Amino acid sequence: MSPEEALAPESAEELFENAPCGYLTTRMDGTIVRVNRTFEDWTGHTRAGLLGTRFRDLLTPGGRIYHETHFAPLLAMQRSVREIALDIVRADGSRLPALVNAAVREQGAGPALIRTTIFDASDRRRYEQELVRARTREHEIALELQQAMLSGELPGDGRVRTEVVYRPGVQGLQVGGDWYDAFRLDRSDAVALVVGDVVGRGIAAAATMGQLRSAVRALASTGLGPAALLEALDRFANVHRVGRMATLAFAQVDVGSRRVRYACAGHPPPAVVEPGGAARLLWDGRSLPLDAHGVAARAEGELELEPGGGLVLYSDGLVERRSRLLHDSFQALVTALARADAAPGAGLAAAVADALLGDEAGEDDVCVLALGLAA
């Protein structure tokens, strides 16, 4: 065959029969009156068997329901539908993932017909399934990273008790950015507490949590106070391009003297609980999030806990609600701390989380970390 012959125009019938898509013509009730060879080849149905069959009868049971409740009504109202995902049952019982377009063609005085094109979506379906598997695996990896960081043993002895409540949010399958840590400081009679929240979700957030957690432990071991530690974290975040705009509350509690030093980088204020049940928020030592523009120097606050008193750090998921002003949430937190029957480090964290959250499934992670001193 010469090049000229190969480029000779195809007849309309040849174009119809060998089109790169399935092609059906049906009556308004869906009865097939014309079908092309491509659709026959894809489905294994013969033309003789297809003619007179309704299009909906070629669909899966779920597809038939969708056709009746959505596809057909939309087609009747709009006179066309585009890119509807349906599964067509082949002659051997297997399924052909398809994208379906349909349009009503008016015939003048004659009855209207529906022209339907069927595109093979097998490759697209496989890609979507691979994407779901990849996202699921990403979630599993992020969750493993997060659980590895949050599974450390909390410090405690006869003089000091620590406890934590951690409730993940319900943002799909993504791991959030809230994290906590509690550890003894080297060469001192002190315990460090930290609760933080990094920007983002998933593996990136989990990796950032791990880097910041390690950096906090390393810097705290050098003897830096809370303000100086946050300044060092600023430099760490800037140099390594990690944790920018993360929020953090860090506290050092000297068990012997009951002296507390603390600093907050853009994080909700810690709370102190007195032995008699009174509670208040600590508004000193506040500054902007990590590596934020305009941070000149970090501030810190200081207080002395009473015997039997305690300190509570928490993430913003405990107090931030769309249905409640933040000021009201802080008041609710103070009230819950004061009314709780449990002592800090001995059930207070769970009691406060229950009081503020109830059965509500929040969008954000919630962390409550509490330390209590012996009376």
Side-chain angles (χ1 to χ4, degrees), residues 24-27 30-35 50-53 113-114:
L24 304 174
T25 301
T26 70
R27 299 191 180 99
T31 301
I32 299 173
V33 296
R34 194 180 185 196
V35 61
L50 289 169
L51 297 179
T53 302
L113 297 173
I114 301 173

Side-chain angles (χ1 to χ4, degrees), residues 92-164:
D92 62 5
S94 63
R95 298 182 179 186
L96 171 69
L99 287 179
V100 180
N101 296 331
V104 176
R105 179 190 178 191
E106 305 294 342
Q107 296 279 79
L113 297 173
I114 301 173
R115 286 184 171 176
T116 302
T117 52
I118 313 291
F119 294 90
D120 186 348
S122 299
D123 291 340
R124 172 174 170 169
R125 180 71 57 82
R126 282 192 291 269
Y127 169 76
E128 291 172 347
Q129 291 171 343
E130 290 173 0
L131 189 61
V132 169
R133 287 193 292 268
R135 287 176 176 172
T136 301
R137 181 54 184 156
E138 178 180 342
H139 167 68
E140 292 172 350
I141 293 172
L143 191 60
E144 289 170 5
L145 286 172
Q146 187 185 51
Q147 289 175 340
M149 288 183 295
L150 303 182
S151 61
E153 183 178 354
L154 298 178
D157 55 33
R159 301 171 302 156
V160 61
R161 302 180 304 270
T162 53
E163 63 172 327
V164 67

